[in-house]
């Protein structure tokens, strides 16, 4: 059984929410979930430039879609 390719998930440097990198905003090594957080910049001691893929990425992606369904995003 072959699983579909998982999207790469990144973490917002401001609020630490994981989102697919194709929906995130990037500035330098940091990723952001929205323009407001991009303007605020990263929080101290951040490592949001680390991308997640594979099984962990698939799990985070499922949680992201569930979250979007719950909030009506």
């Amino acid at each position: 059984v072959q699983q579909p390719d998982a999207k790469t998930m990144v973490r917002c440097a401001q609020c630490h929410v994981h989102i697919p990198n194709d929906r995130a905003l990037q500035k330098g090594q940091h990723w952001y979930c929205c323009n407001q957080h991009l303007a605020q910049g990263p929080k101290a001691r951040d490592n949001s430039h680390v991308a997640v893929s594979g099984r962990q990425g698939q799990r985070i992606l499922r949680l992201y879609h569930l979250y979007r369904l719950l909030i009506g995003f």
Side-chain angles (χ1 to χ4, degrees), residues 16-50:
H16 306 286
V17 170
H18 285 88
I19 54 175
N21 69 335
D22 62 348
R23 294 179 183 253
L25 304 168
Q26 185 178 17
K27 183 176 182 183
Q29 290 186 334
H30 300 286
W31 295 89
Y32 300 91
C33 64
C34 63
N35 284 320
Q36 181 182 9
H37 288 177
L38 176 69
Q40 292 173 354
K43 285 190 174 181
R45 294 174 35 126
D46 182 72
N47 64 351
S48 65
H49 61 278
V50 177

